[in-house]
Amino acid sequence: EAKNLLPYLGPNKMRDCFCTINLDQEEVYRTQVVEKSLSPFFSEEFYFEIPRTFQYLSFYVYDKNVLQRDLRIGKVAIKKEDLCNHSGKETWFSLQPVDSNSEVQGKVHLELKLNELITENGTVCQQLVVHIKACHGLPLINGQSCDPYATVSLVGPSRNDQKKTKVKKKTSNPQFNEIFYFEVTRSSSYTKKSQFQVEEEDIEKLEIRIDLWNNGNLVQDVFLGEIKVPVNVLRNDTSYQAWYLLQPRDNGNKSSKTDDLGSLRLNICYTEDYVLPSEYYGPLKTLLLKSPDVQPISASAAYILGEICRDKNDAVLPLVRLLLHHDKLVPFVTAVAELDLKDTQDANTIFRGNSLATRCLDEMMKIVGGHYLKVTLKSTLDEICESSKSCEIDPIKLKEGDNVENNKENLRYYVDKLFSTIVRSSMSCPTVMCDIFYSLRQMATQRFPNDPHVQYSAVSSFVFLRFFAVAVVSPHTFHLRPHHPDAQTIRTLTLISKTIQTLGSWGSLSKSKSSFKETFMCEFFKMFQEEGYIIAVKKFLDEISSTETKESSGTSEPVHLKEGEMNKRAQGRTRIGKKNFKKRWFCLTSRELTYHKQPGKDAIYTIPVKNILAVEKLEESSFNRKNMFQVIHTEKPLYVQANNCVEANEWIDILCRVSRCNQNRLSSFHPSAYLNGNWLCCQETSENTPGCKPCTAGVPADIQIDIDEDREIERIYSLFTLSLLKLQKMEEACGTIAVYQGPQKEPDDYSNFVIEDSVTTFKTIQQIKSILEKLDEPHEKYRKKRSSSAKYGSKENPIGKTSE
């Protein structure tokens, strides 16, 4: 959220605001617009992997303008090196002003040399040679690659000699390769000497300045950044070569006092893991995968990880992914849920806590239930979000002119529509969810044998309360909608979610009193107090918690994987067909990749997934466009430009995964396009020439869900390492319990841990510590190699990268 934004001058002070998330200056996400507010509440969450190097993660607050360009109110820019300081914390940041002189990214490759020259009259001077070689990673200007050029200046107290490179068209990585010569004048009394020494006082005052500009043609040129190098760093006849990060323009003594632009509240979680080759992770993987079989489960490595992590959620995600990948999740969750049940005294509170079991189940449902939610809820949620029907039934919140009876009917229509699709959706419920629900049902019945309803409430507390109800109230979190809905829609979704949730528990808890605190909700719910609803809920819960094998939903309907708008280059399938770029709406399912003129329209072109031979990045030089990739299939390659690097990475990743088992996959490809009769990369003239570069290594064909297990195990290693102190406390607690022969609850050190069997738990902790020590060694080696391999001034570690 933002607060105290600068108001408009004049009577209407409010603004229509949205936020963008940028890697340097490349926008990767934007929020929805919040209208008429100076303290907009966005409440939107974005998760993404960062596919390239970057300097800053930036957040811009914009004021939406219908007729002109949107106005940038202010920004928060966090250096990559500082991200870990803010990770996991909620922080208010003051907005900083945005001007072109501070919007800088990219680096410059320079070679500098100071030569000694003797003039005709015998005086000695020096010649400065500046070789500007190339730039890399310049920003996009208005979404397009820039037309950069550089000015090269020698600046001193009484001189400013300036020269200029040629303009390079449409590129963010220009190759200049231009050399400039400057005479560094000596004092008149300085004559030839056998040992030429640089006079410190002269040289101290001179500096080389490189300014990068975007050629504006008819409009003003845009400043892209500058670097300054003092001439005194150079030594005679020695070439000095380095990469420099471009810096914002030096604002001299400009007052730092600016208007208070307001603040932005962010919650950033940033992780950076160094994933080693697979062979290093064998012992930790084996220990974690043994967890479901350890007796008692609280002595297993997976359970111990959940116990010692500062935030259980950190542990849950990699654990669930790893166990799910190896078909070990059902027995693990069953065992930890049994531990929960031991502490449950009242059948009505079954699985209502926030334990390791319930969090694992929540995470599992998010991972495997995405398609299930899409086929069940998406069309109705789209209808609710895109219509403006009022469903407010609270008399206090009714707007003027609202009819409460009409609103009630609207709300009932939506509840009935969603409820009926949910209770008829059991065939789409993923098998792994059904297997866990079956286990929960059996355990609940054994724990409370005299309660006939507990077998249903054990399942409904997950599927209704923690799955459907949550997805209805925040569809954007489950990728059912692109953005957080507006305030009126949120209110409608909240009322629907409450009703669906109660219907789920109503049907499973028999005709007990409804749980609504509000009188208007109790009144509304009377509409649903019919036997038919209870029968429908029980039938649905029976179906999703039975062990009968059911046909996989994937066989009858393709799984929807990703969609979005991108640019694609015309295929030129006809002789006179233009080969330009057009915006198209792309859809990927488990069966085909299609593109359409607009969402919902018929497909213009279809590529069956089985025909995809490779998916690879396309070099920017092909069309002078960033973020391009190619889908190589049995016809001509399809060249696509994504809107940003994150989106390009996600499309390449998912297309690679969905086509990973295809026969005839290519082993080599052309990284550039075939244009004007030859491949730009290898200059071969035949369009059918085999590729000149090996394809990116494919993903193993036996992967069950799309995870990289080495990465998940590396995350678990990092979590164990971060929680080493707690692990040692737990180890000491096991020793104390073993010595004193009983689960003593007095000392704080271990009363927070669940230790059922101190001997087995102690053994597991010893194994974990031993594995961590062995893994520490290659990590340390890698860290040393990494810090020493990238020389300061290299392309990977340019000068100016870290603040002094």
Side-chain angles (χ1 to χ4, degrees):
E1 68 173 314
K3 69 178 179 187
N4 306 330
L5 297 180
L6 207 58
Y8 272 127
L9 298 172
N12 180 16
K13 297 185 182 313
M14 295 297 146
R15 295 181 182 271
D16 298 342
C17 300
F18 66 91
C19 266
T20 66
I21 303 174
N22 296 48
L23 286 176
D24 296 322
Q25 285 165 259
E26 182 182 11
E27 182 187 316
V28 292
Y29 285 107
R30 68 168 55 193
T31 67
Q32 211 168 21
V33 177
V34 175
E35 294 180 344
K36 296 182 176 55
S37 175
L38 295 178
S39 294
F41 185 74
F42 300 105
S43 184
E44 294 204 37
E45 192 171 287
F46 301 94
Y47 167 84
F48 60 102
E49 296 190 0
I50 298 177
R52 61 170 176 81
T53 55
F54 68 103
Q55 278 177 264
Y56 290 92
L57 180 66
S58 303
F59 302 83
Y60 290 79
V61 179
Y62 281 85
D63 183 9
K64 183 81 183 158
N65 195 318
V66 180
L67 301 174
Q68 297 166 317
R69 283 185 65 186
D70 300 327
L71 173 73
R72 292 190 289 195
I73 298 171
K75 69 172 180 181
V76 171
I78 304 169
K79 262 196 165 167
K80 182 187 175 184
E81 293 80 25
D82 299 334
L83 275 172
C84 47
N85 303 334
H86 301 290
S87 186
K89 299 173 194 163
E90 226 169 63
T91 314
W92 279 102
F93 294 90
S94 293
L95 288 173
Q96 301 301 314
V98 182
D99 62 68
S100 59
N101 294 342
S102 66
E103 294 290 281
V104 166
Q105 70 178 61
K107 46 196 165 192
V108 185
H109 192 194
L110 280 189
E111 186 176 3
L112 306 170
K113 198 174 177 187
L114 208 52
N115 292 333
E116 178 184 328
L117 282 187
I118 301 166
T119 59
E120 287 174 6
N121 61 6
T123 58
V124 177
C125 74
Q126 284 178 294
Q127 184 188 54
L128 174 65
V129 185
V130 179
H131 181 183
I132 178 161
K133 294 189 165 189
C135 290
H136 187 268
L138 296 178
L140 299 178
I141 303 289
N142 300 332
Q144 297 294 320
S145 289
C146 51
D147 295 343
Y149 69 90
T151 57
V152 182
S153 312
L154 182 64
V155 182
S158 57
R159 67 186 291 176
N160 186 353
D161 301 346
Q162 191 180 87
K163 302 176 189 232
K164 186 176 156 185
T165 68
K166 293 188 177 78
V167 175
K168 298 292 177 183
K169 290 283 186 186
K170 297 277 172 284
T171 176
S172 298
N173 303 318
Q175 300 288 323
F176 290 112
N177 267 325
E178 292 192 41
I179 299 174
F180 299 96
Y181 300 93
F182 296 91
E183 192 178 293
V184 181
T185 316
R186 314 305 310 169
S187 58
S188 56
S189 61
Y190 206 88
T191 51
K192 184 185 173 188
K193 292 184 180 176
S194 57
Q195 284 265 304
F196 181 82
Q197 294 292 322
V198 173
E199 270 189 8
E200 294 297 323
E201 57 273 22
D202 286 354
I203 292 294
E204 284 296 335
K205 294 169 186 168
L206 290 176
E207 67 178 10
I208 304 142
R209 203 174 88 193
I210 314 286
D211 289 84
L212 261 291
W213 298 86
N214 176 55
N215 183 34
N217 292 323
L218 301 173
V219 293
Q220 195 176 359
D221 292 357
V222 177
F223 174 76
L224 300 177
E226 68 176 14
I227 60 163
K228 294 176 178 179
V229 185
V231 175
N232 66 7
V233 300
L234 307 178
R235 291 290 165 257
N236 282 340
D237 299 322
T238 306
S239 176
Y240 180 88
Q241 193 174 159
W243 281 87
Y244 289 84
L245 268 187
L246 284 168
Q247 302 296 333
R249 179 176 280 151
D250 183 1
N251 288 319
N253 299 321
K254 187 177 160 188
S255 167
S256 59
K257 179 88 181 82
T258 58
D259 286 330
D260 185 0
L261 301 173
S263 317
L264 188 65
R265 180 162 66 107
L266 301 169
N267 189 345
I268 301 165
C269 293
Y270 175 74
T271 53
E272 200 175 85
D273 290 326
Y274 305 117
V275 184
L276 302 168
S278 301
E279 57 267 23
Y280 287 96
Y281 296 114
L284 184 53
K285 176 174 147 182
T286 306
L287 187 64
L288 290 162
L289 293 180
K290 267 171 37 186
S291 294
D293 308 317
V294 173
Q295 297 283 343
I297 192 70
S298 60
S300 68
Y303 192 91
I304 288 168
L305 179 67
E307 280 288 277
I308 63 171
C309 269
R310 187 174 61 85
D311 183 348
K312 267 193 175 65
N313 286 341
D314 291 344
V316 164
L317 182 58
L319 264 183
V320 167
R321 283 171 173 264
L322 184 70
L323 295 170
L324 194 55
H325 180 57
H326 288 279
D327 284 332
K328 297 277 188 181
L329 187 66
V330 177
F332 179 72
V333 170
T334 303
V336 291
E338 205 160 5
L339 204 57
D340 273 11
L341 277 172
K342 280 184 190 172
D343 292 337
T344 308
Q345 304 307 318
D346 180 357
N348 290 322
T349 62
I350 195 165
F351 299 127
R352 292 293 170 101
N354 228 350
S355 64
L356 184 64
T358 57
R359 289 184 192 197
C360 283
L361 249 154
D362 287 347
E363 203 50 60
M364 177 275 291
M365 292 191 295
K366 267 188 198 168
I367 293 169
V368 303
H371 176 62
Y372 179 29
L373 287 174
K374 255 188 183 119
V375 296
T376 312
L377 304 181
K378 188 166 177 16
S379 61
T380 311
L381 288 173
D382 285 345
E383 185 187 333
I384 294 165
C385 294
E386 284 156 23
S387 79
S388 52
K389 282 184 183 175
S390 175
C391 296
E392 185 54 76
I393 58 171
D394 181 352
I396 299 165
K397 292 187 177 174
L398 282 175
K399 288 181 187 165
E400 203 177 322
D402 269 4
N403 181 318
V404 73
E405 290 307 316
N406 284 354
N407 290 4
K408 229 178 238 186
E409 278 310 309
N410 292 342
L411 188 58
R412 176 166 192 174
Y413 165 75
Y414 287 142
V415 169
D416 270 332
K417 194 165 182 180
L418 277 174
F419 178 77
S420 61
T421 53
I422 288 169
V423 294
R424 284 187 279 117
S425 69
S426 61
M427 285 300 286
S428 303
C429 187
T431 310
V432 67
M433 282 171 68
C434 296
D435 290 345
I436 288 184
F437 293 154
Y438 173 75
S439 295
L440 296 178
R441 188 174 175 168
Q442 300 304 308
M443 287 189 296
T445 309
Q446 285 165 13
R447 177 75 179 86
F448 299 103
N450 301 322
D451 188 328
H453 306 294
V454 75
Q455 57 173 321
Y456 295 113
S457 56
V459 178
S460 73
S461 62
F462 285 104
V463 77
F464 278 102
L465 192 69
R466 304 174 86 110
F467 186 58
F468 286 122
V470 180
V472 167
V473 86
S474 57
H476 61 293
T477 309
F478 292 84
H479 307 293
L480 298 170
R481 296 286 301 166
H483 287 290
H484 194 69
D486 61 55
Q488 182 181 312
T489 310
I490 290 170
R491 177 67 181 155
T492 300
L493 294 173
T494 305
L495 294 170
I496 296 168
S497 176
K498 281 182 172 188
T499 316
I500 295 279
Q501 191 176 309
T502 310
L503 271 172
S505 56
W506 174 267
S508 60
L509 292 175
S510 82
K511 293 183 180 179
S512 61
K513 280 180 78 176
S514 81
S515 56
F516 293 115
K517 297 181 182 78
E518 308 101 327
T519 319
F520 65 87
M521 283 305 290
C522 293
E523 283 301 309
F524 175 67
F525 196 70
K526 283 177 184 172
M527 291 180 167
F528 302 93
Q529 290 177 339
E530 296 168 15
E531 195 66 32
Y533 288 101
I534 294 177
I535 292 165
V537 169
K538 286 187 172 175
K539 180 173 179 287
F540 169 67
L541 294 173
D542 281 335
E543 287 167 354
I544 62 166
S545 58
S546 77
T547 54
E548 290 172 25
T549 54
K550 59 191 185 64
E551 190 186 338
S552 161
S553 60
T555 56
S556 56
E557 192 178 341
V559 179
H560 179 283
L561 297 170
K562 190 168 175 61
E563 61 183 328
E565 191 176 64
M566 295 188 285
N567 290 312
K568 66 113 199 134
R569 186 173 187 256
Q571 299 280 71
R573 287 191 293 278
T574 61
R575 261 189 191 176
I576 54 167
K578 274 190 172 180
K579 295 187 180 178
N580 55 354
F581 280 84
K582 290 182 178 168
K583 275 201 185 307
R584 291 290 180 254
W585 187 263
F586 283 78
C587 288
L588 176 65
T589 70
S590 49
R591 289 194 195 156
E592 59 193 24
L593 173 68
T594 54
Y595 59 77
H596 316 244
K597 277 198 172 169
Q598 286 170 339
K601 299 277 185 197
D602 290 342
I604 302 174
Y605 191 62
T606 300
I607 302 171
V609 161
K610 63 180 185 204
N611 290 358
I612 295 176
L613 308 176
V615 183
E616 297 287 348
K617 286 183 177 173
L618 189 71
E619 284 179 359
E620 188 187 322
S621 55
S622 299
F623 301 104
N624 282 329
R625 286 174 178 246
K626 271 180 165 321
N627 305 319
M628 287 204 68
F629 64 93
Q630 50 184 322
V631 181
I632 305 166
H633 57 111
T634 44
E635 290 184 41
K636 283 175 182 273
L638 175 66
Y639 297 135
V640 185
Q641 183 189 27
N643 296 313
N644 56 62
C645 62
V646 170
E647 187 180 60
N649 201 51
E650 287 174 355
W651 274 101
I652 293 168
D653 190 49
I654 199 159
L655 280 162
C656 283
R657 289 177 187 280
V658 78
S659 61
R660 65 181 177 246
C661 302
N662 287 355
Q663 291 182 332
N664 306 323
R665 274 186 70 92
L666 296 179
S667 56
S668 62
F669 76 104
H670 291 283
S672 281
Y674 183 79
L675 293 173
N676 306 324
N678 67 294
W679 290 101
L680 298 180
C681 39
C682 56
Q683 305 304 313
E684 289 287 340
T685 51
S686 167
E687 202 168 349
N688 300 321
T689 306
C692 54
K693 188 176 176 183
C695 280
T696 313
V699 192
D702 61 348
I703 285 193
Q704 188 186 33
I705 62 162
D706 293 340
I707 72 149
D708 175 344
E709 65 174 346
D710 291 343
R711 205 167 139 178
E712 304 304 336
I713 300 168
E714 172 58 38
R715 186 89 287 271
I716 290 169
Y717 157 78
S718 297
L719 290 169
F720 269 130
T721 307
L722 283 170
S723 310
L724 208 52
L725 274 174
K726 267 199 167 178
L727 190 68
Q728 282 162 345
K729 278 193 173 181
M730 199 174 190
E731 184 183 27
E732 288 161 18
C734 289
T736 311
I737 292 168
V739 169
Y740 291 110
Q741 294 294 307
Q744 311 245 328
K745 288 286 180 187
E746 288 305 311
D748 275 345
D749 277 1
Y750 62 88
S751 57
N752 298 325
F753 300 124
V754 174
I755 301 172
E756 294 176 287
D757 179 332
S758 56
V759 176
T760 314
T761 308
F762 186 82
K763 274 186 189 164
T764 308
I765 292 170
Q766 291 284 295
Q767 286 174 291
I768 294 167
K769 284 176 73 178
S770 163
I771 289 167
L772 293 183
E773 276 172 31
K774 283 178 187 153
L775 269 171
D776 285 344
E777 205 175 302
H779 277 92
E780 194 48 46
K781 260 188 195 166
Y782 175 76
R783 265 190 288 271
K784 278 182 183 162
K785 181 185 166 199
R786 194 165 175 264
S787 59
S788 60
S789 63
K791 186 179 148 208
Y792 193 50
S794 66
K795 193 172 182 180
E796 296 73 32
N797 188 14
I799 291 170
K801 186 171 182 182
T802 48
S803 52
E804 291 301 318

